[in-house]
């Protein structure tokens, strides 16, 4: 059982390093510790230049927190149609202040609190996709107040 997990982890890390030519690193269905190891491997292999990430439906708040913690140079993140909550979004905002593009569409768990955290910690946002979320005028006001470079909502 232990050897099977180690082999699976080795293949996930090798696969993660192989996708560096893709536009996005696609994450999903990774346990938090596995996500941490993959992110550490990316940082070492790419000299901390992972800037674009797309997360799949299986990503959790813990996994997203691991990604944000170990890949602080993210500028473009797609969290569309995931199950993350304000806690995961706040972790991304706190650890990745250089985000310029963020896609949150089809996330019913994201509220004004999560969007306010993003707006407060990531003032360089230019593009944000909020389709089919629970965001209200309060969240949009936070974006308008804290993100002077916003061009697309």
């Amino acid at each position: 059982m232990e050897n099977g997990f180690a082999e699976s982890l080795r293949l996930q890390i090798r696969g993660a390093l192989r996708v560096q030519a893709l536009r996005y690193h696609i994450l999903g269905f990774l346990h938090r510790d596995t996500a941490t190891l993959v992110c550490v491997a990316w940082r070492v292999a790419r000299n901390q230049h992972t800037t674009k990430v797309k997360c799949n439906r299986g990503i959790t708040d813990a996994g997203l927190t691991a990604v944000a913690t170990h890949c602080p140079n993210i500028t473009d993140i797609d969290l569309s149609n995931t199950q993350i909550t304000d806690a995961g979004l706040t972790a991304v905002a706190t650890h990745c202040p250089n985000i310029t593009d963020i896609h949150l569409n089809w996330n019913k768990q994201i509220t004004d609190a999560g969007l306010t955290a993003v707006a407060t910690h990531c003032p360089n946002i230019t593009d944000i996709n909020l389709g089919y979320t629970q965001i209200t005028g309060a969240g949009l006001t936070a974006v308008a107040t804290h993100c002077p470079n916003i061009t697309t909502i």
Side-chain angles (χ1 to χ4, degrees), residues 44-85:
V44 170
R46 303 208 51 219
N47 196 20
Q48 298 188 10
H49 292 297
T50 299
T51 60
K52 297 181 181 185
V53 175
K54 176 172 178 33
C55 297
N56 284 334
R57 220 176 249 196
I59 194 81
T60 63
D61 285 341
L64 187 58
T65 300
V67 169
T69 301
H70 295 287
C71 298
N73 294 323
I74 293 172
T75 59
D76 186 337
I77 188 162
D78 187 344
L79 302 171
S80 301
N81 203 25
T82 60
Q83 300 300 313
I84 63 156
T85 66

Side-chain angles (χ1 to χ4, degrees), residues 76-150:
D76 186 337
I77 188 162
D78 187 344
L79 302 171
S80 301
N81 203 25
T82 60
Q83 300 300 313
I84 63 156
T85 66
D86 290 338
L89 191 57
T90 300
V92 167
T94 303
H95 295 290
C96 306
N98 299 318
I99 291 176
T100 58
D101 297 311
I102 188 165
H103 305 274
L104 302 171
N105 50 310
W106 293 100
N107 279 317
K108 299 291 184 180
Q109 297 82 3
I110 300 297
T111 68
D112 292 333
L115 185 59
T116 299
V118 169
T120 303
H121 294 288
C122 306
N124 297 320
I125 288 182
T126 58
D127 182 22
I128 189 164
N129 188 333
L130 300 172
Y132 303 101
T133 62
Q134 301 295 318
I135 301 302
T136 68
L140 294 175
T141 300
V143 170
T145 302
H146 297 288
C147 303
N149 300 322
I150 194 79

